[in-house]
Structure formats: C-alpha cells, structure tokens
Amino acid sequence: MVPVHELLSDDETDKVLKRLKITRDQLPKIKESDAAIKTLKIAMNMDIPEKSVVRIIRDSQTSETAEVYRLVIRG
Amino acid sequence: MMSGVSKRIGSIRFTCLSPDEIRKMSAIKIITADTYNDDGFPIDQGLMDTHLGVIEPGLMCKTCGHKVDECPGHFGNIDLAMPVIHVGYVKEIKKLLQATCKSCGRLVLTEEDVREYVSRQETMESLGSDAIELREFSKETAKAAAEKALKEVCPHCGVEQQKITLDKPTTFREDGHKLTPKEVRERLERIPDNDLIPLGIDPAACRPEWMVLTALPVPPVTVRPSITLESGDRSEDDLTHKLVDVLRINQRLRENRDAGAPQLIVEDLWELLQYHVTTYYDNQTSGIPPARHRSGRPLKTLVQRLKGKEGRFRSNLSGKRVNFSARTVVSPDPWLSINQVGVPTFAARELTVPVMVTKDNLEVLRNMVKRGPEPAGEVYAPGVNYIIRVDGRRIRVTDKNAETVAEGLEIGYKVERHLMDGDVVLFNRQPSLHRMSMMAHVVKVMPGKTFRLNLCVCPPYNADFDGDEMNLHVLQSEEARAEAHILMKVQEHILSPRFGGPIIGAIHDHITGVFQLTYRNPHFDKAQTLFIVSKMGENKLPEPIVENGREYWTGKDLFSTILPKDFNAQFKSHICQKCQKCEKEGCQYDAYVKIRDGKLLMGTIDDNAIGSGAGKILDKIARDYGADRAREFLDDVTRLAIGAIMVRGFSTGIDDEDIPEEAKRQIDDKINNTFHDVDQLVASFRDGTLDQMPGRSLEETLEVEAMKKLGEARDEAGRIAGKHLGLENAAVQMAKSGARGSMLNLSQMAGCIGQQAVRGERLSRGYWNRTLPHFQKGDLGAQAKGFVKNSYKSGLTPTEFFFHSMGGREGLVDTAVRTSRSGYMQRRLINALEDLKLKQDGTVRNTADSIIQFHYGEDGIDPTRSVQGEAIDLDDVLRDVLGEHYADLLSRADDRKISLYATVEKDLMEASTDDDDDQDESDYDGGGDE
Ligand SMILES: [Mg+2]
Ligand SMILES: [Zn+2]
Ligand SMILES: [Zn+2]
Ligand SMILES: [Zn+2]
C-alpha cells in the first residue's frame, strides 16, 4: 500500500536535478514528520536531514509506475 | 490606439507607511473639520481643499495645476494630537509586545536561540518556502519567545515580564493595567532592528512603532467625491464624514490637553479619537458599535470598500465588464454547421470588427462606409459605425456624413465594420465549468432575435431551449482571431479531455432518426430517398438496388454515404441485448455493427455510434481523420437524421404506455402476492421466527427482506409491461436507441412506480409510529411504508401521491445541495490549478517554475488524442497491417485466454457479482471473425 521511498545520495540527487534542469527549491516538498520519512529513518537507521531528496515510486493508473522526487523539509 | 508596454513591473512589496512618509507624500496638512464656505467653495486646509485634487469643473488643482479628469488627486494628512492604534495591526502589535522585554525591548530569547531560528529561516527561504510558510514559522518564533517571557526573566537585562492581553478591539493590558497607545508605541520603539528579523519583519521597510499612528493620511477628494443632490444640497462621501469626526475630536483633544484639562477628560477624548480612527479603517470591527449615518445606515469605510463580493477586488479587479459582446436567448437550427452561430441582424449592427485600411481593401471598405450605420435593403450587408483616423480620432458614421467620410478614407485608417458572415466570435454559456463552455463559432447573420446554434453543441454548453441565454464576444485583434480559429473552434473540441470521448455528438431525434434509417435495414423508394438525400448539401445519392424492375435504396446504404471511404469499425449498438454469448455477425437483434471500407454492412446506428458521450464512429473519425472530417460527418448526420425521421414522422403519446388488460392483471397479481409475502415477513418478525441476518438487527433484517421483495415485484411488473412494448413503439425506440428516456421510465409509466425511499430506506417518518393517519399505528406492510402500486398512467391514490412527493423532495434537495457544493469546490480547484502549465520537457509547473507533476498525467498522454487512455489502438493498427486475417487471430487468442481463465482468475471472477463484470467490460468489441 505504501509506495517505495528511497533516499538519494548526493551524486544521484545532482544527477536528477541536472536531468530535470532545476534547483532543489523547485522540487515538491515532503515534511520530515511525514510517516513515510519517519519509517525510512528507522529502516535505514540514520537521520534524514533537511535538503535531502527522496525518490518515490508509485503505482499509477495511467502508466504502470510513476517516479517522483521530493525535497525533505523541516516540520 | 496602439500602446506598447511602457513599464514592466518587476515585483511588488507591501509595507507599513512611516509617519515621515505620510507627511512627505502629503500635499497639505488638514486642520479644520469644515468643508465648504457659504459660497460653496472649499475651505483652505479643510477636507475638500483644492490641494487634494478637484472634482468640480472649472476649479484648478493647487498642487499640480490641472483640471478635473487630468489631476489624479493628491494625499493630505492629519497630525493626530495623541497616538492611536491602527486596527489592522493589533495582532502584530500583540505578538511583538508579548515576545519582547518590557524594559530593554529585546526579544526574550537567548542569542543562541535567535541564531538557530534565523538560520532555519534562511534554509527555508533557500529551499523555496513561500511567504505563507515563512509567516507561519515566524509566528512560531514569536510564540516561543512569548512563552519564555512568562516563565523566565529577560535573558538580556534580567527584568521579570508580565502578561500582556488584548481587550478587543484595540486596548492592551499588562497584568490588568491599561497600556495607552503612547506607552505601546514607546515599547515598540525600543525593539532593536536585529531582533525584528527572526519575527519576520524587515526593519528597513517597516518599524513596528509605525503600527501606532501619529499621522493619518487623508485620501484625495477624487476617491471620496461629494455629490450634489437635485435639491442643490451637497452630500458627502462616507469617508469624508468619518474624517470630519476624526478632525473634530482631534481638535478638542488637542485643546483640552494643551489647556491642562483633567486626565479623565483627556483620556475619554483620546478613546473617542481611537474609536473614530478604528471605524474609519474598518466599520465592522467586532467589539465596537459601527458608526452610522444620520439615517441609521452604517457607514462604508475603507475595509468595506475592499471586502467581499461587492468589494474592489472581487467586483472591480477580478470581475471584468467588456465591450463588443451580446447576450440573448438561444434557439436551435439544424441547418447550421456545428461551427456556426446564428446572430440576429439587430445584434450584428451593434457588434463591430476593426479593420485596418490598406491599398487592397480601400475600395471595399469605402463602399461599406458609404452604406452608413444602418444600410437599407432586403439582404444584410455590413455597414460601419465608426472610423478611426491615423491620429486616433474616432469619427461616428451617420447616414448624413457617410458619403463624405467614405471619400476621406485613407490607408492607415481603421474602420469599425458590422459583423458579417464568416467572422470568428466566442460563444459562451454560464456557468463556464470547462473549456468547452466557451468556444469559437463562425458567424452567420440571420433575421430574428435569438442566437441560433446546432443541436450537437448543446451537451458541451449544457444548453437547452427553455429560455437559456448565451453570451457572444467579438474578437478585436488579428492574433485573437487566429488563436480562436485554430484552438477554440467547436470542431476542435469534439473529443472531451474529461473522458477522451466525443462530448459533441448527435442527441435526441438525431439518434432516433438514424435508428429508424438503419434498424433492420428498411427499404426506401425513389421519392423517399430523394427526400432524405435532399436534406444534405451535396448530391450523395448512392446507386439503387433494382429488384423485379423496381428501384429502391436501403437505409444502411444511405448511411454509408456519409462515412469516409476507407472507414472500418465494429462494435455493439446501444440496443444490444447483452446476450450470454455474443453472436457477433450472427446477432438476431441487428445490434452488431460492422463497417468495412466505408460501407455499413450490418448493425444499427444509434447512441453508441454517433451519440454525444458514447459515439464510437464519431470518436474514431475525429481521431483518425481529424476535426474537419468529424465536423463534416456530424453536419451530415444531423441532416440525414432529420431527413430520415421525417419520412414517417415521429411522435409519442400517452397511448405508447398502453398495455393489454391481461398484462395489467398479471402485474396486479404479482404485486398482491408480494404484499402477501411482506405481510408474512412482518408476521414472522412479530412472532420471532424471522431469521436474523448476520450483522443486522431484527428490524433491519425485516427492512432489507421487504425492500428486496418489493424491488423484485417492481422489476417483474416492468418486465411484464416491457413484453408488450415492442420496438415499433416510439417511446421504446427512444429508450432502446439511447435517444431519450430509459426502460425504467417506461415501466414506471406502464407498470408500477415501486417503493419510495428517503435516505435509502422505506418511508417511516411523519406521525407517531406511522407515516400517515390513514394507517394503523405500527403497520409495517408495503403500502403503509411508501410502496406505490400504481403506474404514472393509471394514476396515484392520495396516500401514494403523498409518498411520491416525499421521495421526490429528497431528489430536489439533493441536487440543490450538490450544485452549490460542487460549485464551491470547482472554484477552489480552479484557483489552485489555473496557472499551472505543461512545459516542453513534459513536466507540469507553476508560475514559480516549481514542479507540480514530473510527467504530465504520469504517462504524458493527452486524453483527447488517446484511444481509451492508451497512446495507440494496437488492435486497429494490426488490423490495418494484417487485414481481416488479424480478426481471425484475435478471436483465436481470445478463446485461448478464456480457457486460461479456468484457474485462480476464474475463481476470482466468479466470486465477484455479475453486475460488476458487465461494467468492467470494455464497450469496444475485440474484433469480429470472418
Ligand atoms: Mg434551460
Ligand atoms: Zn492635482
Ligand atoms: Zn530586558
Ligand atoms: Zn448480440
């Protein structure tokens, strides 16, 4: 039910931003307090700081899966 | 007149005005509450001083030297004797007072905390937080400081803090003691610039003490003009009245204070001044009585001018009024193309199109100008209302000056000519809920007083002809016309982006018409055929079939004439009986449509083929052959259909619901038996022998069982009635072909109306323990709880009629609630989505260029260009390549698939109800086998 969330490394993040030709602030946001981020923290046993980028892979009604990125923000 | 963009706005910033700035921008200081002297001239340094601008002709502005309409008006100012709180800022003042020290004015947070908050604020900004998120964050900072202030002493000077409260609307108290505005102002002055940053205030733009007013700007007279009544008396604007009050009290306060009057009197006047300034800004401030006019009407002050539906924003800035538009009642005209709109001559002579005069059109336009604003003559010819000279002067053309103006016409002039056939206009019906609510049409000027439109465009506008009015806008620039022509024409909107199918298509009689033309392939003799074909523009008479020396044409051949020559399709008609196993080509109901090379080989054309919403042929033509061909097809269908329906004529009446006595008796028996069954259920409920359903109470079990039984009875009655209503019946033809109405409607008219329900339950409310006093208390039988045994035709008994009204009312209330609620949702949704844009890289972005969606619709497919949501129709492509052979392959693959289902999937399918399966099944047929 919960779509896959994965933390991107700095390298990967740069690659994604370069591909989309955007800066971090143009990404959609996700709050640190979001249940998905909390779960990911526990699963990875590490802190996920502000400014991190996560990749979310969702089932989609139109294409099979949809890949989206979100910027982790405080809150 | 053409005018380019002279200035570009880079950004806008809203800040507070400082008293210095108020005085700097002031043209004159206002000191007296008097406005005009006995001669009717403005008094110097009064509220109508001519330094503030002029509103009377003849007077000259003392600030800029211009006269009425040229002088923009200038601000003045009032110096307040004592400071007063600005109502608009009480929340901010409270926040600041609570978060800062009463003694040293510093933010009650340690340096470390402040650094922490500021750095967080900076990261938020760099990560693209908007103004609202930043404001929320600074609110949190202020709250943290305020909480700390109540628990601890000031970390900077060690002074203990007291609790600050706000007595609405403008009185601050510290531990119950009143703080005067002067004291508040002094405290705000003490807050250092650096401590304002974490609170979200830019000290360079706004110092907090400016939120307590020492000077009041006086708006120019042009924004508060006085009006002269017929009696010669002058009536002042509400704002002027309020400013007079402020000036009077300000004067008295200054005199009393300077004369050393008792503290109590000064304080009273000070509070009165506060009241007047508060109501000058907002006369609906809670906690104080609104200031009233002598007549008792509350004054409309600054906030009231801006707020709400009639305020400056929603009424004057968001709401636009336009020229070159017309509104009138609409009526139908099947002879118009879907792209056209009929415009009454009367409107066409008022609506004009500007045309630039060039060497090529000079003579044509000269002739037009000569005709003047009201050309005579039987045939409509466009005249001219105005011409605009090169210098921008606008000259009205009249019958008298038409000749001379025409002679003087030169290249570079603009001519505002009347609307004529072929002009592109926008046509709109409110509410404008989707983009098809406003489409471009091509004008056809015609006599009469209504706008005429083709019936196929009724669904997108949601228009009917019971008095609906529509708006028409004439485009004024070449760019706008080109854009409308390419993007907005009706034919470009045949396929709806909402469900990817045709939203513009045949309705009502057009469907009945083609149904009669094609069902069971009737024969037409030469006279009939010519009658039908004559309705269409060009000669489309197909080759006749000759049998025994007599010529005849078949309906299917006639329909084939309007199809593209290489058109192929196969699908099930609306009249399909949904047989267990579809016989396809062998369908005994003529419900399987097969078209090869533009020839209708079998099947009935109805709603599923050409209807708005479901039309398969329409869908395919629009997609494969383009908008032009689809428009041509629709126009042809319209004409063919009315031709076909007029051969025999079509009418329905109450005797279409007649059923034989025998059938009536059967229905009666069935219902009486069911009544008996329900009585038995009630009896078993009473004596406790009713089997309780799991998860339901005994009462609920009874209701469910009774509803089920009664529902079956209604269905059975409908079935019995339906047996006697065949396809030769007009009402049945409409229902079965999808033109209008349903078989349920018919069975309610001929058979039995059935159970009435409120909130999905049998009726129960009304009297104590019964619905109406005509029944025994506690009667749980069918008729006592809202079952209507009669049909609409046989007529309802008084109790049945009452029950029917109860059920009907729920429907009315539902729709009323639904429309108002969905309207509100729609507005919110559109406000959120209106400026999102699909960029070239396939992302959806907002105006800040932030990404909203990474890939449009997640698949990047435009629903109006897709086939049932897929990018391409694979079956169709394969059929094109492999020919009929492919159909064979496909059906074999289907058979294999079915045999494979005999596994887990089959179990799953059997577990789900039959109804679900029906709905999931695609309306498109997989393909026929030869
Ligand atoms: Mg209407
Ligand atoms: Zn002026
Ligand atoms: Zn202090
Ligand atoms: Zn069939």
Side-chain angles (χ1 to χ4, degrees):
Chain A
M1 284 291 275
V2 182
V4 183
H5 286 62
E6 18 177 88
L7 184 66
L8 294 194
S9 69
D10 286 349
D11 275 0
E12 282 175 304
T13 306
D14 287 341
K15 240 185 253 166
V16 167
L17 294 179
K18 208 170 155 193
R19 178 161 58 80
L20 294 166
K21 298 200 183 81
I22 54 166
T23 49
R24 251 169 232 264
D25 59 303
Q26 286 170 289
L27 285 170
K29 317 281 188 283
I30 187 168
K31 282 187 176 170
E32 239 180 317
S33 56
D34 193 293
I37 297 296
K38 281 192 199 159
T39 324
L40 188 59
K41 269 183 194 171
I42 295 165
M44 294 180 68
N45 194 22
M46 62 176 276
D47 190 38
I48 296 179
E50 230 178 328
K51 283 184 163 192
S52 309
V53 176
V54 288
R55 176 194 287 128
I56 304 167
I57 298 167
R58 292 203 192 98
D59 292 345
S60 164
Q61 292 209 352
T62 49
S63 60
E64 301 233 309
T65 56
E67 217 171 79
V68 300
Y69 303 91
R70 273 169 193 275
L71 177 74
V72 180
I73 57 161
R74 194 194 63 90
Chain B
M1 241 183 295
M2 277 291 285
S3 58
V5 182
S6 57
K7 280 181 184 169
R8 197 176 201 101
I9 297 168
S11 64
I12 299 177
R13 183 150 79 163
F14 294 98
T15 60
C16 304
L17 270 181
S18 72
D20 283 347
E21 229 167 325
I22 291 172
R23 291 192 184 102
K24 217 190 287 169
M25 69 181 195
S26 161
I28 189 156
K29 190 160 122 183
I30 309 300
I31 52 168
T32 167
D34 301 320
T35 49
Y36 294 97
N37 63 22
D38 296 340
D39 302 328
F41 285 107
I43 288 173
D44 281 349
Q45 297 207 288
L47 279 168
M48 289 296 165
D49 191 304
T50 42
H51 282 97
L52 301 178
V54 280
I55 44 170
E56 277 163 285
L59 288 181
M60 209 174 68
C61 170
K62 280 186 186 155
T63 305
C64 66
H66 289 300
K67 295 208 175 81
V68 186
D69 288 344
E70 284 158 13
C71 162
H74 315 278
F75 273 91
N77 81 297
I78 298 171
D79 275 340
L80 295 172
M82 307 280 258
V84 291
I85 308 267
H86 188 312
V87 260
Y89 294 114
V90 276
K91 272 201 188 125
E92 281 71 24
I93 296 173
K94 185 184 174 200
K95 190 176 83 180
L96 285 160
L97 289 178
Q98 287 175 336
T100 55
C101 169
K102 61 181 286 191
S103 161
C104 68
R106 300 287 310 270
L107 194 56
V108 193
L109 287 173
T110 60
E111 299 280 358
E112 272 165 59
D113 285 345
V114 170
R115 265 199 298 279
E116 165 76 22
Y117 280 113
V118 171
S119 84
R120 274 198 187 175
Q121 205 177 22
E122 280 163 4
T123 22
M124 281 180 77
E125 252 167 294
S126 74
L127 295 182
S129 291
D130 57 26
I132 296 166
E133 283 165 337
L134 287 168
R135 194 181 60 195
E136 285 305 312
F137 180 68
S138 58
K139 251 190 208 163
E140 277 173 42
T141 314
K143 215 173 142 198
E147 271 164 20
K148 198 171 150 108
L150 287 179
K151 280 182 273 174
E152 298 164 33
V153 295
C154 169
H156 307 286
C157 69
V159 169
E160 199 179 322
Q161 308 296 317
Q162 262 106 49
K163 195 174 179 192
I164 307 266
T165 52
L166 171 65
D167 253 5
K168 285 225 162 126
T170 49
T171 316
F172 288 99
R173 289 176 190 281
E174 182 172 54
D175 250 6
H177 299 289
K178 217 183 206 170
L179 289 173
T180 64
K182 204 171 155 196
E183 287 167 310
V184 171
R185 194 166 201 277
E186 279 158 5
R187 287 197 183 193
L188 296 175
E189 273 169 3
R190 278 202 290 272
I191 305 174
D193 280 358
N194 273 341
D195 285 10
L196 291 173
I197 294 163
L199 295 175
I201 298 172
D202 175 10
C206 171
R207 280 291 316 173
E209 64 267 21
W210 300 344
M211 296 172 187
V212 182
L213 299 162
T214 56
L216 194 68
V218 175
V221 284
T222 40
V223 304
R224 46 183 179 90
S226 52
I227 39 171
T228 317
L229 300 172
E230 276 166 53
S231 58
D233 294 340
R234 232 191 271 267
S235 172
E236 296 299 336
D237 189 272
D238 285 4
L239 283 186
T240 310
H241 279 298
K242 213 53 238 178
L243 287 166
V244 167
D245 292 339
V246 172
L247 279 165
R248 274 212 194 103
I249 302 305
N250 196 40
Q251 188 66 22
R252 272 174 64 196
L253 178 60
R254 176 171 294 125
E255 284 164 12
N256 276 286
R257 187 197 58 194
D258 293 350
Q263 188 63 25
L264 217 62
I265 292 179
V266 173
E267 263 173 32
D268 273 359
L269 284 170
W270 196 356
E271 253 167 54
L272 197 54
L273 180 66
Q274 174 75 63
Y275 168 79
H276 284 310
V277 173
T278 302
T279 49
Y280 166 67
Y281 279 109
D282 182 1
N283 202 18
Q284 283 172 336
T285 316
S286 59
I288 51 169
R292 284 173 196 278
H293 199 256
R294 255 166 303 173
S295 63
R297 167 183 68 87
L299 295 175
K300 255 186 123 185
T301 54
L302 288 175
V303 168
Q304 281 68 51
R305 280 193 177 197
L306 306 178
K307 225 166 125 181
K309 214 173 190 172
E310 266 97 64
R312 205 94 316 152
F313 293 107
R314 273 176 74 183
S315 165
N316 302 106
L317 291 167
S318 308
K320 302 251 180 341
R321 315 211 141 233
V322 293
N323 292 323
F324 308 105
S325 64
R327 178 182 175 93
T328 183
V329 176
V330 287
S331 49
D333 187 339
W335 305 117
L336 286 178
S337 162
I338 54 166
N339 270 339
Q340 288 182 303
V341 59
V343 181
T345 42
F346 180 70
R349 297 232 180 270
E350 287 295 324
L351 301 164
T352 58
V353 178
V355 185
M356 182 69 84
V357 180
T358 65
K359 72 176 191 331
D360 298 315
N361 65 11
L362 181 64
E363 277 316 307
V364 177
L365 290 175
R366 193 164 269 162
N367 269 325
M368 248 182 233
V369 178
K370 265 185 202 149
R371 277 184 224 137
E374 263 160 59
E378 283 286 283
V379 188
Y380 176 87
V384 170
N385 287 350
Y386 284 96
I387 65 158
I388 301 158
R389 297 199 316 211
V390 186
D391 62 5
R393 271 282 297 274
R394 186 177 269 268
I395 297 166
R396 180 158 193 124
V397 181
T398 60
D399 286 335
K400 274 193 194 120
N401 73 4
E403 284 287 336
T404 39
V405 171
E407 289 315 314
L409 205 62
E410 279 173 33
I411 290 167
Y413 278 32
K414 247 182 220 166
V415 171
E416 294 198 331
R417 53 145 249 253
H418 294 159
L419 215 54
M420 55 191 249
D421 289 2
D423 282 332
V424 183
V425 294
L426 299 187
F427 202 40
N428 158 245
R429 180 181 176 275
Q430 282 127 348
S432 312
L433 296 176
H434 52 194
R435 68 181 196 200
M436 290 79 77
S437 289
M438 188 175 239
M439 294 187 287
H441 288 247
V442 174
V443 169
K444 175 115 175 72
V445 180
M446 38 176 59
K449 291 193 167 174
T450 57
F451 288 138
R452 253 58 57 84
L453 49 94
N454 184 291
L455 291 115
C456 295
V457 292
C458 287
Y461 289 121
N462 191 21
D464 49 35
F465 306 108
D466 58 2
D468 289 25
E469 291 181 54
M470 286 179 72
N471 306 318
L472 181 138
H473 299 269
V474 180
L475 299 165
Q476 297 290 304
S477 78
E478 223 50 81
E479 293 94 319
R481 274 191 289 272
E483 209 164 58
H485 202 82
I486 295 166
L487 299 173
M488 295 180 73
K489 260 207 318 225
V490 174
Q491 64 178 42
E492 309 298 329
H493 295 266
I494 292 174
L495 299 179
S496 162
R498 195 173 72 216
F499 52 88
I503 190 171
I504 295 169
I507 53 170
H508 304 172
D509 275 4
H510 300 173
I511 291 171
T512 315
V514 283
F515 173 83
Q516 291 194 342
L517 185 72
T518 55
Y519 180 63
R520 300 255 183 240
N521 208 13
H523 295 183
F524 296 96
D525 64 25
K526 188 158 191 177
Q528 291 172 322
T529 307
L530 287 177
F531 176 80
I532 296 172
V533 176
S534 71
K535 301 292 170 197
M536 289 187 284
E538 340 162 18
N539 175 18
K540 292 201 172 178
L541 189 67
E543 283 301 306
I545 298 167
V546 186
E547 217 168 66
N548 307 330
R550 284 184 56 211
E551 284 186 335
Y552 70 88
W553 286 261
T554 68
K556 285 187 167 102
D557 280 349
L558 289 177
F559 181 79
S560 300
T561 58
I562 63 172
L563 288 170
K565 291 294 152 258
D566 55 349
F567 188 77
N568 294 316
Q570 52 290 311
F571 54 89
K572 290 176 193 160
S573 296
H574 190 267
I575 57 165
C576 176
Q577 301 283 313
K578 312 242 161 68
C579 323
Q580 278 284 309
K581 180 178 187 323
C582 186
E583 298 292 338
K584 301 203 165 157
E585 277 83 353
C587 181
Q588 53 170 318
Y589 306 104
D590 199 18
Y592 185 76
V593 179
K594 184 165 170 182
I595 300 170
R596 287 291 176 270
D597 297 319
K599 276 241 160 288
L600 175 60
L601 301 179
M602 61 184 66
T604 308
I605 302 301
D606 57 18
D607 188 45
N608 266 12
I610 58 162
S612 118
K616 299 279 182 319
I617 297 181
L618 198 53
D619 190 3
K620 205 155 185 289
I621 291 181
R623 227 179 284 285
D624 295 350
Y625 297 81
D628 278 321
R629 188 63 182 88
R631 188 246 309 133
E632 193 190 323
F633 176 72
L634 259 182
D635 290 344
D636 284 342
V637 164
T638 306
R639 288 157 193 206
L640 185 64
I642 48 181
I645 204 169
M646 284 197 303
V647 170
R648 277 192 280 168
F650 189 75
S651 167
T652 183
I654 196 157
D655 55 2
D656 276 344
E657 281 78 45
D658 270 340
I659 50 171
E661 283 304 319
E662 170 61 20
K664 281 187 198 159
R665 221 178 38 76
Q666 280 177 18
I667 292 173
D668 229 38
D669 284 351
K670 173 68 196 165
I671 291 173
N672 285 333
N673 284 339
T674 310
F675 282 177
H676 187 69
D677 291 349
V678 173
D679 287 342
Q680 278 188 329
L681 273 172
V682 173
S684 65
F685 165 73
R686 291 249 155 79
D687 60 28
T689 52
L690 184 66
D691 280 337
Q692 195 169 337
M693 286 164 78
R696 288 222 162 82
S697 72
L698 209 56
E699 285 85 1
E700 283 168 346
T701 309
L702 172 68
E703 285 303 306
V704 171
E705 292 288 345
M707 284 280 266
K708 203 170 123 199
K709 276 259 168 352
L710 293 166
E712 280 164 10
R714 210 271 318 274
D715 292 346
E716 180 63 17
R719 219 182 47 73
I720 297 168
K723 262 199 301 204
H724 300 278
L725 303 172
L727 261 174
E728 68 293 334
N729 181 308
V732 176
Q733 277 183 21
M734 289 193 284
K736 288 267 161 85
S737 66
R740 194 75 221 230
S742 64
M743 284 314 281
L744 175 68
N745 293 153
L746 281 179
S747 77
Q748 285 191 323
M749 286 189 268
C752 156
I753 294 174
Q755 180 66 48
Q756 297 301 302
V758 170
R759 296 188 186 170
E761 285 167 11
R762 294 206 292 165
L763 304 178
S764 58
R765 285 168 54 92
Y767 292 80
W768 189 76
N769 253 354
R770 51 184 166 168
T771 48
L772 282 173
H774 310 69
F775 302 102
Q776 295 288 325
K777 282 174 191 152
D779 187 348
L780 293 174
Q783 284 185 293
K785 301 266 287 174
F787 188 85
V788 181
K789 181 181 171 182
N790 276 301
S791 66
Y792 285 117
K793 186 164 185 236
S794 66
L796 282 66
T797 66
T799 54
E800 283 176 341
F801 188 85
F802 190 87
F803 291 143
H804 184 254
S805 303
M806 287 174 77
R809 162 181 272 231
E810 190 186 46
L812 292 183
V813 171
D814 262 20
T815 37
V817 171
R818 242 202 326 270
T819 44
S820 72
R821 226 181 302 170
S822 69
Y824 179 64
M825 262 172 36
Q826 166 102 8
R827 239 189 50 217
R828 300 293 302 260
L829 196 65
I830 283 180
N831 281 336
L833 301 178
E834 63 182 355
D835 44 27
L836 299 189
K837 212 168 155 186
L838 173 60
K839 292 288 177 101
Q840 279 188 314
D841 62 357
T843 58
V844 179
R845 304 200 187 196
N846 64 13
T847 43
D849 231 17
S850 296
I851 291 185
I852 304 299
Q853 195 173 37
F854 285 89
H855 199 43
Y856 173 72
E858 292 181 345
D859 57 359
I861 288 172
D862 174 359
T864 64
R865 310 282 151 137
S866 73
V867 182
Q868 307 295 300
E870 298 296 327
I872 51 163
D873 186 346
L874 206 57
D875 282 351
D876 239 43
V877 174
L878 287 175
R879 195 193 318 279
D880 277 352
V881 177
L882 301 175
E884 292 301 325
H885 179 55
Y886 170 68
D888 204 34
L889 286 176
L890 199 71
S891 73
R892 252 187 283 159
D894 272 350
D895 288 343
R896 234 187 54 214
K897 238 189 274 171
I898 289 164
S899 65
L900 285 176
Y901 273 135
T903 52
V904 189
E905 278 144 318
K906 189 160 187 193
D907 294 343
L908 284 174
M909 278 171 69
E910 277 164 3
S912 66
T913 61
D914 292 359
D915 296 25
D916 285 349
D917 284 345
D918 273 355
Q919 281 179 343
D920 284 347
E921 198 179 73
S922 159
D923 281 333
Y924 262 124
D925 187 16
D929 35 45
E930 201 82 354

